[in-house]
Amino acid sequence: QVHLVESGGGLVQAGGSLRLSCAASGRTFSDYTVGWFRQASGKEREFVGCITWSGGRTYYADSVKGQFTISRDNEKNAVYLQMNSLKPEDTAVYYCSADRYGDGSEYPIDYDYWGQGTQVTVSS
């Protein structure tokens, strides 16, 4: 069992930056690939990016490539999502998720554990 808690969301002006954190407790965190997803109002949950358990490889959705960066600190049981040059279309609830020994999937169904989400609102 892994318990995930996101933090760091808030209101930011377009062009600004936010850093989201995903804190984990429970089983060996380093065994888990962690994914970030977002869900805008009235839309389906979409893949943002992920960082693998082995080697810390990162994968990003085309829509955020070069804008967002994912990193992890296994000593602190945490994963971070650095978001730069934010746009109003980045407004959504952001979720972190965990997939034990995952290869780095973009599909929500492949992730076993989810946080409660944190709201990010980008004003124009």
Side-chain angles (χ1 to χ4, degrees), residues 58-80:
T58 52
Y59 302 97
Y60 299 96
D62 288 342
S63 59
V64 304
K65 204 169 290 184
Q67 181 189 0
F68 291 2
T69 303
I70 299 173
S71 60
R72 69 188 299 159
D73 185 340
N74 288 334
E75 293 295 320
K76 295 184 178 179
N77 278 7
V79 170
Y80 307 100

Side-chain angles (χ1 to χ4, degrees), residues 1-88:
Q1 188 81 8
V2 173
H3 183 60
L4 303 173
V5 178
E6 303 94 337
S7 61
L11 174 64
V12 63
Q13 288 189 332
S17 298
L18 280 175
R19 187 196 196 204
L20 304 185
S21 298
C22 175
S25 60
R27 303 185 69 170
T28 308
F29 183 62
S30 58
D31 291 345
Y32 288 82
T33 286
V34 175
W36 284 98
F37 291 78
R38 64 186 180 185
Q39 189 165 16
S41 181
K43 295 187 177 180
E44 292 189 353
R45 192 166 299 191
E46 67 169 351
F47 175 74
V48 172
C50 65
I51 186 164
T52 62
W53 71 278
S54 176
R57 296 184 303 275
T58 52
Y59 302 97
Y60 299 96
D62 288 342
S63 59
V64 304
K65 204 169 290 184
Q67 181 189 0
F68 291 2
T69 303
I70 299 173
S71 60
R72 69 188 299 159
D73 185 340
N74 288 334
E75 293 295 320
K76 295 184 178 179
N77 278 7
V79 170
Y80 307 100
L81 177 65
Q82 177 67 43
M83 306 186 295
N84 298 327
S85 303
L86 284 162
K87 311 165 192 173

